[in-house]
Every structure is written in structure tokens, then in C-alpha cells.
Amino acid sequence: MEGDERTMDEIQRDLHRTFPEYEMFSSPLGYGQVDLRRILKCYALYNPETGYCQAMAPVAATLLQIMPAEDAFWVLTAICDDYLPGYYTKGLPQLQSDADILHELLKKFQPAIYEHLERQKIHPLMYMTEWFMCVYSRTLEWSCLLRILDMFLCEGVKVLFRVAIALLTLVLGKPEQRKLHPELMDITQLLRRLPDEVISADGLLPELLKIKLSKKELTRVHEEVVRKAAGR
């Protein structure tokens, strides 16, 4: 399979970093790494304008664990091109915009957390990049991830925002939690290594279901963010 040599080298280097603790992906000659390599190379050839981004690997690897390789390729293609366009292209334009949207949504749903993060100058881009780009595949416990992935494929990107707000609520929603994590370093370490009880299905889903975010509201906030960006 031919392709841009630099892109193919990047894919090859990332294979052993993608869920090496899973037996399926532990061996360079195992079917997991072989299929993962094929899927990522195929996508880079299929859509050379987007090419390859490191965050695609854990998404593709997650899909490979629940469906055949060809199906995983097409679902990955749908995620990159339709669900999250602009997330994996140079400059990550849509991710930057969605970080601003999360900033505004947090102000609405959890103003105390919003103020706490603002005081430390912690913008969503500092903690949500891996969450969103990897569709939480590097964040959530497996059974929880499967439920979130189902919701995401059915409802779209708004699920990623709801999960983010739910996670923040669970770890910083109470005054005593914010007192335990008062400084930038405390907060960023917490958000990089979320407690096990928060990333489980039993911990996350009840909180997630409390967060009502309609497509209409998400569109309104998006338009507001675009207007603000145009006025800068």
C-alpha cells in the first residue's frame, strides 16, 4: 500500500503506543496492530486532505474491538468526516471552536466550576483536547465507553459536551472538591487522571442523564461563539 512516506512512518510509530496493555494490540505481528495499521493507512489514502492524526489511532482501535476491520474503517471515516469535521485537520479549527462552546456551556450549566477554572485561567482546550479528539477512548472505563460511543453515534457531538460537563461536575461540582483542588496544577492533574468511580458507567451515566442539551441550544451557543470570534 503506497502513500506519503512521512504519514506512513507516523502511523507505524504510533501503533505500539495504542492500548499496548490490551492483548489484541500487544504484538506488532498480531491481528490487532495489523488491522489498525491497515485502517489508518487506508483512511490517510482515502482522505489525503485530512491525512493522519495521532488521536485517530485510539478511536480506530476501540472500533476494532467491537466490529470487523472494514466496518471499523467506515465508522472511523464517518467520525472524522461527518461527526467531527475539522478535528483532525491542520490547526484543529473545529476543536478550537468547540473548546469555546464548552467554555460557554460550562458557564450556563455549572457557573461555580466555570468561575473556579477561570480564576486559574484554565481554558477547556487545556483538558478537553484528548477527551474530544479520542471520543473519550483514552478516558473512560470500557463498559462506560461503549455506552457513550453508542450515544455519540446516535446523537452526535452534543454527547461529547454532555460527558465533559458531567465529568467536571463529578470532580469539581461540590465546594469541598474545589477546596481540595484550588490551584492550576491540582486541577490539571485531577482532570488528566480522573478517579475510577467517575469514569465508570455507574458513576458517570446518572450525572450525564441530568444534563439536558438540545441541538437547538448547541447551535445557538455555536453561533454566539462565531460572532464573538468575528468581533475579535
Side-chain angles (χ1 to χ4, degrees), residues 1-9 11 41-42 44-45 48:
M1 185 185 294
E2 297 181 356
D4 177 79
E5 185 176 348
R6 182 177 177 182
T7 298
M8 300 306 141
D9 286 345
I11 291 172
K41 286 185 175 181
C42 282
L45 291 168

Side-chain angles (χ1 to χ4, degrees), residues 205-230:
L205 294 180
E207 189 62 42
L208 174 67
L209 295 175
K210 297 176 187 176
I211 300 167
K212 308 301 180 185
L213 176 62
S214 67
K215 186 176 180 180
K216 182 178 179 181
E217 173 67 8
L218 189 59
T219 300
R220 185 194 67 76
V221 175
H222 175 261
E223 290 171 350
E224 183 180 323
V225 165
V226 169
R227 283 196 301 271
K228 286 183 178 179

Side-chain angles (χ1 to χ4, degrees), residues 124-191:
L125 208 57
M126 297 170 66
Y127 57 83
M128 56 80 79
T129 298
E130 183 176 87
W131 292 358
F132 278 47
M133 290 188 73
C134 297
V135 195
Y136 295 99
S137 60
R138 287 197 177 279
T139 304
L140 302 178
E141 177 268 331
W142 179 246
S143 65
C144 184
L145 173 61
L146 293 182
R147 289 166 171 81
I148 296 304
L149 189 58
D150 276 349
M151 294 172 67
F152 168 68
L153 293 174
C154 288
E155 301 178 39
V157 71
K158 72 175 184 178
V159 172
L160 304 188
F161 290 103
R162 292 173 63 208
V163 173
I165 295 167
L167 289 173
L168 290 165
T169 300
L170 288 168
V171 295
L172 291 171
K174 298 176 181 177
E176 56 268 30
Q177 291 173 316
R178 296 192 290 276
K179 286 181 181 178
L180 279 174
H181 302 92
E183 305 294 336
L184 185 146
M185 189 63 71
D186 302 316
I187 299 168
T188 53
Q189 286 181 351
L190 171 68
L191 297 180

